[in-house]
Amino acid sequence: RCHQRSVAMLDIPFPSFCAFLGSLGVLIVALVGTWCQHWRGGFSLDGGSRTFNWHPVLMVAGLVVLYGAAALVYRIPNTWSGPKLPWKLLHGGLALGAFVLTVLGLAAVFRFHNSNGTPNMYSLHSWMGLATVLLFSCQWAAGFGAFLLPWAPAWLRQLYKPIHVFFGSSILMLSVASCVSGINEKLFFSLKNGTTQYKLLPAEAVFANSLGMLILLFGVLVVGALARPSWKRLDSDSLDSRQVL
């Protein structure tokens, strides 16, 4: 009985969880913007350091927050019955929006590097980030072909669905790892002088480290929601899932 009560207490309704997660996502993007505005000089398109500041904002907004929202579309109870096409379009549209923000974020960092003579793609963070974006691109294209094109056979959807789900969670965690490592790398590069060394933990380091922990929390909560049995779609993608309307 005690076990049943504890389980019931932890059984958070999905709408409440979704509202909390959405608020957390908005907070994270706002904190990234605050960090770049307050400590890193703001934003511009002149190719300088302020151009680089678009990179963390767009990558976190796209690869983490918007991608996480796309991943949770099929956990909404309204998607468990009725036509699937509107939800497929929402899921694909959110993922596409995340991809557009990601491409813009990559363009910002490449422009900054090229304008300042900095080599591209030399750090572990950059390798991990580019690998995540490439995997994300393949995931979106394969999902579009398997689930949105009307002539995709049902057996292909059945075969590809668990692969799509697995890589969806994997890409999100790779995105979180890339963003957190990017925050850490930026702090190492920026906090060097005697009064604001990273190891002395100045205010910027505390702020950015806390931001990284919130990003990690967001990713863990999304993956946890995807794994929660009671929030999964009741009908698996069986032969009747060939419907697209």
Side-chain angles (χ1 to χ4, degrees):
R1 289 181 179 177
C2 292
H3 175 70
Q4 291 177 343
R5 287 182 189 142
S6 63
V7 171
M9 291 176 63
L10 294 174
D11 191 16
I12 305 171
F14 180 79
S16 300
F17 172 83
C18 198
F20 170 78
L21 194 65
S23 300
L24 179 60
V26 172
L27 175 63
I28 287 171
V29 175
L31 290 178
V32 180
T34 300
W35 176 34
C36 294
Q37 180 67 43
H38 182 71
W39 279 286
R40 298 290 101 218
F43 303 90
S44 77
L45 298 174
D46 59 4
S49 60
R50 293 187 299 168
T51 298
F52 171 85
N53 289 339
W54 287 108
H55 175 66
V57 173
L58 293 171
M59 300 305 277
V60 170
L63 270 182
V64 177
V65 176
L66 203 56
Y67 185 85
L72 290 177
V73 164
Y74 289 112
R75 296 303 182 267
I76 301 173
N78 293 0
T79 68
W80 294 356
S81 61
K84 293 183 180 180
L85 183 58
W87 301 107
K88 289 182 179 182
L89 292 174
L90 177 61
H91 175 72
L94 288 173
L96 181 60
F99 180 74
V100 170
L101 293 181
T102 300
V103 170
L104 293 175
L106 287 178
V109 70
F110 280 122
R111 181 176 181 187
F112 167 72
H113 283 175
N114 294 335
S115 298
N116 293 273
T118 304
N120 291 306
M121 304 304 300
Y122 65 90
S123 67
L124 177 60
H125 163 68
S126 61
W127 290 15
M128 187 187 309
L130 186 60
T132 303
V133 174
L134 292 176
L135 192 59
F136 180 18
S137 305
C138 295
Q139 169 87 342
W140 193 92
F144 179 83
F147 301 118
L148 275 176
L149 294 182
W151 53 79
W155 64 265
L156 177 62
R157 297 179 186 178
Q158 283 185 290
L159 178 66
Y160 178 62
K161 181 183 176 182
I163 300 174
H164 187 76
V165 171
F166 169 78
F167 277 104
S169 298
S170 300
I171 291 169
L172 178 63
M173 294 316 297
L174 284 172
S175 300
V176 169
S178 299
C179 290
V180 171
S181 65
I183 291 172
N184 196 240
E185 183 179 286
K186 183 62 177 177
L187 290 175
F188 274 117
F189 285 160
S190 302
L191 303 181
K192 294 180 179 179
N193 66 53
T195 58
T196 59
Q197 293 183 65
Y198 190 16
K199 66 181 181 181
L200 299 178
L201 207 64
E204 180 181 357
V206 174
F207 186 93
N209 285 351
S210 301
L211 170 62
M213 294 301 293
L214 289 177
I215 292 174
L216 181 60
L217 174 63
F218 184 91
V220 169
L221 289 177
V222 173
V223 172
L226 293 174
R228 191 181 180 97
S230 61
W231 288 349
K232 290 183 179 180
R233 187 183 178 96
L234 298 179
D235 56 327
S236 61
D237 225 9
S238 56
L239 291 178
D240 64 352
S241 67
R242 69 188 67 181
Q243 61 163 330
V244 295
L245 298 176

